Amino acid sequence: MNRREVALMVLRGERPPYVPWSFSLTHGAAERLAAHRSAEVDSAMRGHLSWVAAVERFDDIGNDRVCDHYGVIWNRSRDKDIGVVENLLLPEPTLRGFEMPDPHDGRIFRTLPAAIEESHDLLRIFGIGFSLYERAWCLRGMENLMMDMLDHPDFVHELLTAIADYNITILHEALKYDIDAVYFGDDWGQQSGLQMGPALWREFILPQLKRMYRPVREAGKFVYIHCCGDVDEVFDDLVEAGVNCFNPFQPEVMNVDELLPTYRGRLSFHGGLSTQKTLPFGTPDDVRRATSHLVDLGRDGGLIISPAHAVPGDVSAENLLAMIETVLAQSGFSAAE
């Protein structure tokens, strides 16, 4: 049984032979780990998932800035991984004069066949980041968009519909390829609850999510979502909408021990290891204990172990290695695998 098959068992709600994992690092964490490369480390970092293509495209425009396919400029002078939005493409609550990107841009799929072939033994995921709400506030500004939900609701519906339409057009093409899942990135949460509250989320966000998830499920693929923050109050809505796997499953804001068994068989989780506390501030033994606890929780299925987010640059190499060693030990993998 290869890694892809093990990950598919988790997404199907089955009990896997061991708990699969996926690790992602920020630039800073990757630099720390680089000095400790080995066959074991490389095997672990390969994980069980492969992002074979992503809709997002970023062109370097110089001076630590990149421009995405919508025309949003991201300043990466401090945050090297994502950046900070510098321009406002929708200064007023209207789409007049604004042109959406071309969903038929061939660059999205140019490298997809080769990536699928190279990922034959990993879960193949097609990614759409900033898939709805995040994309809307990147264009309009977060404070403006929040106020628009109250003052200009028709505009918000129009904007979110346009973004969802763009994504759905891309999905119809992506689903022709041999992928396993579609990943939708969209942060609605904060440390306590939804940013806009559940009522507005259900009014504006949920209907568009259902529209985007529907073609994925109809094609027999899995819906994989990323949403930072405390959003478990809408897990039942997400399950009903068609979500199969939720990431990042943050222990700082969710009760991992209760949620995993409660939703096992209906919703799988990807994450669970604290990037706000344990990884940056714990000892290697703390990391081993936390990782071992997740292994125990995930033995019956429903979990892909991962840090709750891309590992930040303040995590020590010793803690990274403690995490890696613990997941490898429970899998029975040898360095060659």
Side-chain angles (χ1 to χ4, degrees), residues 123-184:
L123 188 80
R124 300 185 288 266
I125 302 174
F126 182 87
I128 303 179
F130 298 97
S131 63
L132 188 66
Y133 167 70
E134 282 187 312
R135 174 51 62 190
W137 74 248
C138 289
L139 298 171
R140 177 72 176 121
M142 184 178 287
E143 184 177 346
N144 291 337
L145 184 67
M146 292 284 199
M147 294 302 297
D148 290 339
M149 289 181 178
L150 302 178
D151 296 337
H152 305 284
D154 290 345
F155 162 73
V156 177
H157 284 299
E158 181 185 12
L159 174 58
L160 296 178
T161 297
I163 294 168
D165 285 348
Y166 169 78
N167 291 336
I168 290 168
T169 301
I170 291 173
L171 282 174
H172 285 308
E173 182 63 26
L175 291 167
K176 297 176 183 177
Y177 293 83
D178 188 16
I179 59 174
D180 298 308
V182 176
Y183 169 103
F184 297 88

Side-chain angles (χ1 to χ4, degrees), residues 233-271:
E233 63 187 307
V234 297
F235 275 179
D236 288 335
D237 299 89
L238 293 172
V239 171
E240 191 273 333
V243 174
N244 300 106
C245 189
F246 177 86
N247 165 267
F249 203 31
Q250 295 170 264
E252 300 87 0
V253 298
M254 294 180 182
N255 190 325
V256 170
D257 288 35
E258 289 186 3
L259 288 169
L260 181 56
T262 296
Y263 283 92
R264 184 179 282 124
R266 294 186 291 150
L267 180 65
S268 297
F269 297 95
H270 169 193

Side-chain angles (χ1 to χ4, degrees), residues 67-222:
C67 183
D68 70 24
H69 56 297
Y70 271 82
V72 175
I73 296 173
W74 298 83
N75 183 331
R76 291 183 173 173
S77 57
R78 297 189 66 181
D79 179 355
K80 304 295 184 182
D81 295 277
I82 299 176
V84 177
V85 173
E86 232 179 36
N87 57 339
L88 195 63
L89 294 180
L90 295 176
E92 300 296 331
T94 177
L95 290 179
R96 286 193 299 272
F98 177 75
E99 186 174 342
M100 295 287 292
D102 178 11
H104 303 290
D105 188 328
R107 289 177 293 177
I108 299 171
F109 301 100
R110 186 173 300 156
T111 61
L112 184 53
I116 289 173
E117 178 63 27
E118 292 170 5
S119 305
H120 64 94
D121 63 337
L122 301 176
L123 188 80
R124 300 185 288 266
I125 302 174
F126 182 87
I128 303 179
F130 298 97
S131 63
L132 188 66
Y133 167 70
E134 282 187 312
R135 174 51 62 190
W137 74 248
C138 289
L139 298 171
R140 177 72 176 121
M142 184 178 287
E143 184 177 346
N144 291 337
L145 184 67
M146 292 284 199
M147 294 302 297
D148 290 339
M149 289 181 178
L150 302 178
D151 296 337
H152 305 284
D154 290 345
F155 162 73
V156 177
H157 284 299
E158 181 185 12
L159 174 58
L160 296 178
T161 297
I163 294 168
D165 285 348
Y166 169 78
N167 291 336
I168 290 168
T169 301
I170 291 173
L171 282 174
H172 285 308
E173 182 63 26
L175 291 167
K176 297 176 183 177
Y177 293 83
D178 188 16
I179 59 174
D180 298 308
V182 176
Y183 169 103
F184 297 88
D186 207 28
D187 291 345
W188 323 301
Q190 51 192 350
Q191 287 295 105
S192 178
L194 291 149
Q195 294 176 24
M196 69 293 293
L200 291 175
W201 182 86
R202 291 186 176 104
E203 178 182 350
F204 292 103
I205 308 298
L206 182 58
Q208 303 297 343
L209 299 184
K210 290 180 177 179
R211 292 183 61 225
M212 292 192 295
Y213 300 164
R214 187 176 300 116
V216 181
R217 293 300 300 268
E218 289 176 348
K221 310 299 182 181
F222 293 99

Side-chain angles (χ1 to χ4, degrees), residues 2-19:
N2 64 27
R3 299 188 187 208
R4 178 185 179 223
E5 291 165 335
V6 174
L8 284 170
M9 290 182 73
V10 171
L11 296 189
R12 289 195 295 259
E14 301 168 2
R15 191 180 194 276
Y18 61 86
V19 186

